[in-house]
Amino acid sequence: MADLERKKPVTTTGDAVRVEGGDVDSGSADQLLASLGYTPELARTRSTLQVAFMSFVLASIPYGLATTLAYPLVGGGPVTIIWGWVAVSLIILCVASSLGEITSVYPTAGGVYYQTFMLAPPKWRRVASWTCGWLYVVGNVTITLAVNFGSTLFLVGCINVFQTADGQDVLAGEPYQVFLIFLGMTLFCNAVSSLCNRWLPIIDTFAIFWTFAGVIAIVVCVLAIAKEGCRDAAYVFGHFEVNSGWTPGWSFFVGLLHAAYATSSTGMIISMCEEVRAPATQVPKAMVLTICINTVAGLLFMIPLVFVLPDIQGLIVLAQPVPAIVKSAVGNSGGAFGLLIPLLVLAIICGIGCTTAASRCVYAFARDGAIPGSHWWKQINHKLDDVPLNAMMLSMVVQIVLGAIYFGSSAAFNAFSGVGVIALTASYATPIIVSMMEGRKTVRTGSFYLGSLGWFCNIVATCWSLLAIPLFCMPTTVPVTDPTTMNYASVVFVGFTTISAGWYLAWGRKHYTGPPA
């Protein structure tokens, strides 16, 4: 792809489209979108700060780290919890920077799917964008499913800080009970996302202050009370205890699903580009800034919990260990539940944010005819403040159907979170790899070009993707003696791959032309 002359404010020649100089207003952003081949249909209501807030909400770090803490506890204990988080955060910073470069050139709701098409050579751009698009859609839908299902399991764990007189959980957590709570959670998140679109930026802003207030409350209380005492710093930052059955090194890596899940939403914010006033500059900045904030917030949340960590052997048998850790620290069921309320509220807000982003992703892919029944899913409901309601309903139905897997496997959450991380990670890597293959010529024209540092970030992001795909298909513990504890991420992933390949052979091979170029 040849380098092109810079023109202001928008340049369109062949495959490259650029915005030059600072922020652009909504009118210029719509002009840029039109130059990319799309008719602006979504209202641009979000500022830079609101984009950063939504990006923060999509990750919801305290909640995301709380619901998956069982993975690093089994995989290595404190070392995996603390240093695994730091390592993955630095890697994801490279992913966010790499995506930011590309998004500054191609800011559309199609995200990495559109970017792959525009960057790839004409000979194989259709197949590349089709593959990336399906990965992106599957990742958005399954990570939203994982968030709502994780919220359900976390709620059950929070309720069970209260116990009966004979020491039994007050909520048995039978599969039908878990599924019904999950169903209610999913319906609620979709209702808020569809009916309250104009107020979602306000909810995201509230979530920021709510999160930090909640984290401060938890940190202060668990450290000040610490009923069972505190661990020393050597334990918190240096204790490594393998309970997974894997060899120590591999066990550490398997435990990284904890951090990878919490940061997997990094590129989902790209789907909101068409509702942002100046997407070419706001979205890249928001992605990078959010990773930095999340890294610090995650450490502030986890380090105090590890200081008051009870015996790990008693925690690894629990699906949700954080409620038990908080209860152990404060020594009171009511107090523990009160401290967990901020995380429960944040879980719901995170579900709403993921539901919103996933619906835009499905809408954008359907807009280009890549999903069966696209003429339904690409419609915008203007009565509900320009919401892609049909796409949202499709995403919701798929989530509910997949949620039924829990009736057959208690490890269903592993599958949902695992396939979400795998699909999103692979989709993020696709345009990055294609960009490197063309010598990073196109990203030089963007407003977020990183120069030689971009090469380093691209290589790190690619290596992470190659590691994550097989890594998060692995069962958390070995040997697997019970089918219900198997990690079915690979099964779900292959299922979606089969649907994607089948639809391409049946329809896409002859009719799919990709996004407008």
Side-chain angles (χ1 to χ4, degrees):
M1 189 180 298
D3 286 331
L4 306 169
E5 280 188 332
R6 284 181 175 269
K7 295 182 182 179
K8 191 176 180 178
V10 178
T11 299
T12 309
T13 308
D15 292 339
V17 182
R18 301 186 298 282
V19 178
E20 182 177 325
D23 285 356
V24 293
D25 59 18
S26 297
S28 298
D30 284 342
Q31 181 187 357
L32 172 59
L33 184 63
S35 72
L36 294 173
Y38 293 115
T39 301
E41 294 185 277
L42 303 174
R44 296 187 184 275
T45 59
R46 295 178 185 266
S47 65
T48 301
L49 207 55
Q50 288 169 336
V51 177
F53 287 171
M54 182 175 181
S55 187
F56 182 88
V57 166
L58 287 174
S60 294
I61 287 305
Y63 153 75
L65 294 175
T67 55
T68 54
L69 192 66
Y71 297 129
L73 282 175
V74 172
V79 164
T80 308
I81 294 173
I82 304 299
W83 299 115
W85 170 246
V86 172
V88 171
S89 294
L90 292 175
I91 292 170
I92 299 301
L93 183 60
C94 292
V95 176
S97 300
S98 299
L99 291 177
E101 281 190 308
I102 302 172
T103 301
S104 71
V105 182
Y106 301 119
T108 79
V112 292
Y113 143 73
Y114 182 92
Q115 294 162 1
T116 298
F117 183 87
M118 299 303 288
L119 291 168
K123 185 176 180 180
W124 49 275
R125 60 173 22 169
R126 288 197 309 146
V127 174
S129 65
W130 179 282
T131 303
C132 182
W134 271 92
L135 287 170
Y136 193 45
V137 168
V138 169
N140 271 263
V141 172
T142 52
I143 212 69
T144 304
L145 165 61
V147 166
N148 289 331
F149 209 90
S151 300
T152 299
L153 297 176
F154 190 69
L155 175 60
V156 172
C158 291
I159 292 173
N160 284 332
V161 297
F162 299 99
Q163 294 189 320
T164 61
D166 58 352
Q168 299 298 311
D169 293 338
V170 296
L171 180 60
E174 297 292 339
Y176 79 90
Q177 294 173 324
V178 172
F179 183 79
L180 288 176
I181 297 173
F182 159 72
L183 185 62
M185 192 86 67
T186 301
L187 292 174
F188 178 78
C189 289
N190 279 268
V192 174
S193 181
S194 59
L195 300 176
C196 306
N197 189 46
R198 69 173 64 181
W199 295 294
L200 292 182
I202 298 174
I203 295 175
D204 294 340
T205 304
F206 164 77
I208 294 292
F209 298 100
W210 178 265
T211 297
F212 281 99
V215 168
I216 290 171
I218 293 172
V219 167
V220 170
C221 289
V222 298
L223 291 179
I225 300 173
K227 280 286 187 179
E228 297 187 9
C230 288
R231 304 280 190 175
D232 57 28
Y235 179 89
V236 172
F237 298 104
H239 182 71
F240 186 65
E241 179 180 328
V242 177
N243 291 286
S244 64
W246 294 105
T247 58
W250 191 248
S251 183
F252 173 84
F253 283 113
V254 173
L256 294 182
L257 180 58
H258 171 241
Y261 169 74
T263 56
S264 61
S265 64
T266 300
M268 289 175 66
I269 193 66
I270 303 175
S271 295
M272 302 300 295
C273 274
E274 293 174 31
E275 295 171 67
V276 177
R277 294 168 189 162
T281 53
Q282 290 174 338
V283 174
K285 290 177 182 178
M287 284 195 293
V288 173
L289 179 62
T290 303
I291 297 300
C292 298
I293 296 173
N294 285 346
T295 302
V296 175
L299 291 174
L300 289 176
F301 174 69
M302 291 188 297
I303 290 175
L305 289 184
V306 179
F307 266 108
V308 297
L309 198 70
D311 181 47
I312 291 179
Q313 296 303 316
L315 295 174
I316 59 176
V317 298
L318 303 174
Q320 293 294 326
V322 169
I325 295 171
V326 174
K327 181 180 178 180
S328 170
V330 300
N332 180 277
S333 296
F337 188 80
L339 288 175
L340 292 167
I341 288 176
L343 296 181
L344 289 170
V345 173
L346 185 60
I348 295 173
I349 296 175
C350 179
I352 295 170
C354 288
T355 296
T356 303
S359 67
R360 272 54 171 185
C361 170
V362 173
Y363 153 77
F365 203 40
R367 182 171 58 180
D368 294 321
I371 299 177
S374 291
H375 62 285
W376 291 319
W377 318 128
K378 69 179 181 180
Q379 295 178 13
I380 297 293
N381 190 311
H382 297 290
K383 294 181 180 179
L384 294 177
D385 297 317
D386 301 328
V387 172
L389 183 63
N390 291 0
M392 188 180 295
M393 294 302 100
L394 174 62
S395 174
M396 181 186 72
V397 169
V398 171
Q399 291 171 47
I400 292 173
V401 171
L402 288 176
I405 293 176
Y406 190 74
F407 286 104
S409 172
S410 59
F413 179 60
N414 295 34
F416 305 149
S417 55
V419 76
V421 171
I422 291 167
L424 285 175
T425 301
S427 71
Y428 299 159
T430 305
I432 296 172
I433 293 172
V434 176
S435 177
M436 287 194 294
M437 290 175 65
E438 61 128 26
R440 291 172 42 83
K441 294 178 182 178
T442 302
V443 296
R444 294 175 192 168
T445 67
S447 58
F448 197 73
Y449 179 56
L450 299 177
S452 57
L453 179 61
W455 274 109
F456 173 79
C457 292
N458 291 174
I459 293 169
V460 171
T462 302
C463 291
W464 170 245
S465 179
L466 294 175
L467 172 65
I469 292 173
L471 181 63
F472 299 134
C473 288
M474 302 291 175
T476 306
T477 59
V478 290
V480 178
T481 57
D482 185 349
T484 62
T485 63
M486 179 60 186
N487 185 350
Y488 290 98
S490 57
V491 177
V492 177
F493 186 75
V494 169
F496 277 114
T497 301
T498 302
I499 294 173
S500 170
W503 181 237
Y504 185 79
L505 293 174
W507 181 89
R509 186 162 50 93
K510 293 183 178 180
H511 301 94
Y512 174 70
T513 59

